[in-house]
Amino acid sequence: MDERMPQPAEDRSARGVREAVVARLQAAGVPDAEVDAELLMGHVLGLSRGGVQARLIMGGELGEADAAELAALVERRAAREPLQHITGRAPFRLLDLLVGPGVLVPRPETEVVAQLAIDALRAVPAEAPIAVDLGTGSGALALALATEVPHARVHAVELSPEAAAWARRNIDEVGADVDLVVGDLADALPELDGRVSVVVSNPPYVPAAELPHDVEVLVHDPEVALYGGDDGLDVIRALSVRAFALLHPGGTLVFEHFETQSAAIAELLRADGWRAISHHRDLTGRDRATTATR
């Protein structure tokens, strides 16, 4: 049986189209089908999700071209292409970032990491404290710091040229003063050694044998941004050493990690000389971030 949503000629009322989109996405096993349906409609119509909901109340129909465009996008989402790749946008705190193939899509749990880093940076008494985002990807963490702590000087490092291109687009669009370097976080920015107040990172941390449950992540997110070796800690080991060199005494390291890695991370950080090691939970109650003091 053909499970595709009804063609535009069948029912182009806003409510009817929305119901058809929800049904198609639910049949494809897409989580949060109602949210995605309204966001896809908003993308086509140039409306926010609230604007779509208002349109549903007010009534009216979609034009034939809009309905046809929406139907094509819905089929892409039903095939489990990430919503953010379809719309080209991903929300992150106060930002609306450009994303697409070749870069990790920012996720809500990383906003917890951003808040920890922002709080640490705001607490620095210096006139222009320095912050470094190691493995910036789309630039999400670096841009959150630069826009929410505007007196700070923010640097970002990214190994992947494809991801760095997305970071550059976002930096340019936001208009933030972020210094972007394409290179390996293991030896980046030696000119800043001993001068940095906060180092933040969302490094690759998924163990090699731990395949992501989400189809969107498994198929579409770049492997270089996901996997951290057999135990998931290869990049975190390099991050610990490099951040220790970058930070001045009393500086703060903040990074995201897998929910089962806290004990192993605490052990390796202690061995590298870190103090005040603390683990922090995400909104689902799982250990998601660690902070430590140089």
Side-chain angles (χ1 to χ4, degrees):
M1 184 176 71
D2 190 349
E3 292 183 333
R4 290 177 300 175
M5 63 178 285
Q7 293 304 301
E10 296 180 8
D11 183 358
R12 294 208 303 269
S13 71
R15 188 167 296 278
V17 169
R18 190 254 190 203
E19 290 175 357
V21 173
V22 171
R24 176 68 184 105
L25 296 182
Q26 287 176 336
V30 174
D32 301 318
E34 293 187 356
V35 174
D36 282 16
E38 291 173 3
L39 290 174
L40 285 170
M41 287 182 70
H43 177 66
V44 170
L45 298 175
L47 299 172
S48 66
R49 188 183 174 199
V52 170
Q53 292 169 344
R55 176 71 67 86
L56 296 174
I57 295 172
M58 295 170 61
E61 292 192 346
L62 272 69
E64 183 174 350
D66 285 342
E69 180 184 357
L70 177 61
L73 299 185
V74 169
E75 289 310 307
R76 290 171 60 186
R77 185 68 186 108
R80 305 303 292 273
E81 183 177 347
L83 174 71
Q84 298 87 347
H85 284 196
I86 296 170
T87 65
R89 294 281 179 174
F92 187 79
R93 291 181 67 88
L94 306 177
L95 303 165
D96 186 33
L97 300 173
L98 295 160
V99 294
V103 73
L104 192 73
V105 174
R107 292 179 172 80
E109 54 265 32
T110 307
E111 296 191 10
V112 175
V113 179
Q115 188 64 61
L116 291 166
I118 287 166
D119 290 345
L121 194 56
R122 285 174 174 166
V124 177
E127 181 179 343
I130 299 173
V132 173
D133 177 8
L134 293 176
T136 195
S138 65
L141 287 170
L143 285 166
L145 294 178
T147 54
E148 297 187 49
V149 194
H151 65 280
R153 295 166 53 196
V154 181
H155 302 259
V157 178
E158 175 53 50
L159 178 63
S160 163
E162 292 81 11
W166 287 106
R168 171 49 60 197
R169 295 185 190 106
N170 284 314
I171 291 167
D172 290 345
E173 181 173 89
V174 172
D177 186 12
V178 174
D179 172 49
L180 176 64
V181 174
V182 181
D184 193 332
L185 65 79
D187 56 13
L189 304 173
E191 67 276 13
L192 295 182
D193 282 1
R195 300 170 51 202
V196 177
S197 294
V198 175
V199 170
V200 66
S201 182
N202 180 14
Y205 57 72
V206 178
E210 190 79 32
L211 296 180
H213 299 298
D214 294 339
V215 175
E216 289 87 345
V217 176
L218 180 63
V219 176
H220 294 280
D221 275 346
E223 291 187 2
V224 68
L226 291 176
Y227 300 104
D230 290 343
D231 61 0
L233 299 177
D234 285 357
V235 181
I236 291 175
R237 292 185 180 93
L239 169 66
S240 172
V241 173
R242 188 73 202 108
F244 200 86
L246 284 166
L247 290 168
H248 58 64
T252 302
L253 169 64
V254 185
F255 63 97
E256 186 173 324
H257 54 77
F258 206 57
E259 57 261 34
T260 60
Q261 294 171 334
S262 295
I265 284 172
E267 182 178 354
L268 78 85
L269 289 178
R270 279 193 293 268
D272 286 343
W274 293 94
R275 301 179 293 110
I277 300 164
S278 298
H279 308 299
H280 307 267
R281 294 181 177 180
D282 61 20
L283 297 178
T284 66
R286 296 175 293 181
D287 278 0
R288 183 58 62 193
T290 289
T291 56
T293 302
R294 164 76 161 85

